[in-house]
Amino acid sequence: MTSAHAEPVNGELPHEPEKATLEGRNKIIGNWLFLGGEAVLFGTLFATFLALRNQNNEGPTANELFSLPLTGVATFILLLSSLTSVFAVQAMHKHNVKSLRMWLMVTVGLGLAFLGIEIYEFYEYVVHKNFGMTTSAFSSAFFTLVGFHGAHVAFGVVWISVLIGQLFKKGLTVVTAPKIYVSAIYWHFIDVVWVFIFSVVYLLGKVG
């Protein structure tokens, strides 16, 4: 039986080093369980938003606020970051550490660009459109849902940045590989959540 921290025979990494140890496999399973709980939380926030989306309290409506070109650019950037994280995992499976680090850094850069757009969007709402957290039930639901997602993106950016540092320090091993793989799954999850936010919050807000 392979031990939790055992290196592969002859020091060679297998094709999927994230699954080479029991600890690595357990981390992947634990991450899926964690994301299941996160899906429930986001589902609750979506349900709350849908229930309150028309409670404007005479404040700005979704149609008056949202700019689809801006959120469209943010969506493209985040979806592109999901693709670069796939390239990172592929590089990991090829044991190409230099390419792995590069794609992870690109993913982080795209994540920061997305956060920059979101911060700008919130600033415009609060400062120029008098649409803050306490403006109405709709605004509270909006900032809670979108802000909660933004916090997840920020966490992912910090997490992947730390892993890049570990790659520079420790290289690619059966210990670092599961962390990278799990972070990629997490990143895909927050990308999928954003697709739902873009559809339910922004698109529905403009056409509904």
Side-chain angles (χ1 to χ4, degrees), residues 146-185:
V146 180
F148 190 61
H149 174 268
H152 278 70
V153 175
F155 174 78
V157 165
V158 173
W159 184 6
I160 297 174
S161 298
V162 170
L163 293 179
I164 293 171
Q166 290 187 359
L167 282 173
F168 276 105
K169 184 177 180 180
K170 302 177 181 179
L172 179 63
T173 69
V174 293
V175 176
T176 56
K179 299 176 183 178
I180 294 166
Y181 187 77
V182 165
S183 71
I185 295 175

Side-chain angles (χ1 to χ4, degrees), residues 174-196:
V174 293
V175 176
T176 56
K179 299 176 183 178
I180 294 166
Y181 187 77
V182 165
S183 71
I185 295 175
Y186 172 87
W187 196 257
H188 293 318
F189 171 78
I190 59 177
D191 287 354
V192 170
V193 171
W194 177 256
V195 171
F196 280 99

